[in-house]
Amino acid sequence: VRLLAVIPFHRRDVILCPAPLFHSFGLLAVTLGTLVGATFALPDRFDPRESLSLIDRHGVTALVAVPVMLHRITSQPEAEGAGRGSMRIVLSGGSALGPELGQRVTERFGPVAYDLYGSTEAGWVAVATPEDVAARPGSVGRPIPGVEVSIVDPDGRRLGPGESGHIEVRGEGLFEGYLDAPAGETVVTGDLGRLDEDGFLWVEGRADDL
C-alpha cells in the first residue's frame, strides 16, 4: 500500500497489464489497481501493436510492463494517438529499465516512466519517479516509505555514499526465510549497487547467479 504514495494509481485509471500475472510484478499491479478500484485491460498474450491499439481503444492511463515489452512497444512506428493524451503512468519492473529505454518511453508517452526495483526475498525496495528517470537516468530511485537500504561489504560492514557493495534491505516486506533458514531483520538481495549522497540507489550487477 505504501507504494501508492509514490506510484499514483487511482480509481479512474484504466490499467493495461501485459506483464505476466504469475510473476510478482504483474501480481503487484493487479493488487494495487484492485485496492483503488481501477479498471483493467488484460490481454491474453503480449503483442506490441495490439498494446498500442488497446491503449487508444480503451483510453489506457497506466501501462505495466517489463522492459523487453517496453522496448518492443517503443520500437513500433509512431501512430496517431498511441496514448499520448491519456497516459499517466508507465510502470517498469522485473529487470533494469536503463537510461536509453527510459528516454524512449518518455519520448513516446511523455514524462510518465516509473522504474520499480525489488526482489522476491526483499519485496519492493525502491522506485524512480519520472523526475528521477529524467534527472538521474539509470538510478532506481529512493527506497519506498518504510524501507531502509544499505550497501555492505562481503563481511556485512556498511559502506559510505558512492561505494559499491552488496544491497541490503530492511523493511516490512521481507520474506520469512528459506526452508530451515529463517530470515533475519535484513536481507541481502544478491545484487550489487551503491547509494549516492542524496540517497538514490544505483544497481550495478549481480553478486551471484542464483
Side-chain angles (χ1 to χ4, degrees):
V1 176
R2 294 187 182 190
L3 272 174
L4 292 173
V6 185
I7 306 170
F9 288 115
H10 59 54
R11 188 175 66 84
R12 295 183 299 278
D13 278 321
V14 178
I15 302 172
L16 173 61
C17 183
L21 303 187
F22 63 79
H23 186 272
S24 57
F25 178 55
L27 186 60
L28 171 74
V30 171
T31 301
L32 290 179
T34 301
L35 281 173
V36 300
T39 299
F40 285 93
L42 299 175
D44 291 333
R45 61 185 181 86
F46 170 70
D47 179 270
R49 290 187 187 176
E50 182 190 30
S51 295
L52 290 170
S53 175
L54 290 171
I55 287 170
D56 284 339
R57 189 187 317 160
H58 297 293
V60 168
T61 59
L63 169 62
V64 179
V66 298
V68 66
M69 293 175 175
L70 294 175
H71 173 78
R72 292 185 64 190
I73 288 171
T74 56
S75 296
Q76 296 300 305
E78 288 283 352
E80 189 70 25
R84 285 187 177 275
S86 61
M87 196 68 69
R88 299 177 51 250
I89 298 167
V90 175
L91 178 59
S92 174
S95 61
L97 178 65
E100 181 181 348
L101 184 54
Q103 179 62 32
R104 288 173 59 174
V105 170
T106 299
E107 290 172 354
R108 191 67 177 254
F109 296 109
V112 295
Y114 292 79
D115 189 12
L116 177 62
Y117 168 71
S119 74
T120 299
E121 297 86 354
W124 304 112
V125 176
V127 180
T129 66
E131 294 77 15
D132 301 333
V133 170
R136 292 177 170 82
S139 167
V140 294
R142 288 192 175 103
I144 65 172
V147 173
E148 178 185 341
V149 175
S150 302
I151 305 300
V152 300
D153 68 13
D155 296 320
R157 290 186 292 263
R158 289 195 178 191
L159 301 175
E163 294 185 281
S164 297
H166 297 262
I167 298 174
E168 181 184 72
V169 179
R170 179 192 302 270
E172 298 175 352
L174 303 186
F175 78 147
E176 294 181 356
Y178 295 111
L179 183 65
D180 298 327
E185 295 182 355
T186 63
V187 165
V188 176
T189 66
D191 291 322
L192 300 171
R194 59 185 168 86
L195 288 166
D196 65 24
E197 293 187 355
D198 296 318
F200 285 83
L201 177 61
W202 303 75
V203 179
E204 299 177 329
R206 288 288 295 171
D208 58 52
D209 295 323
L210 181 62

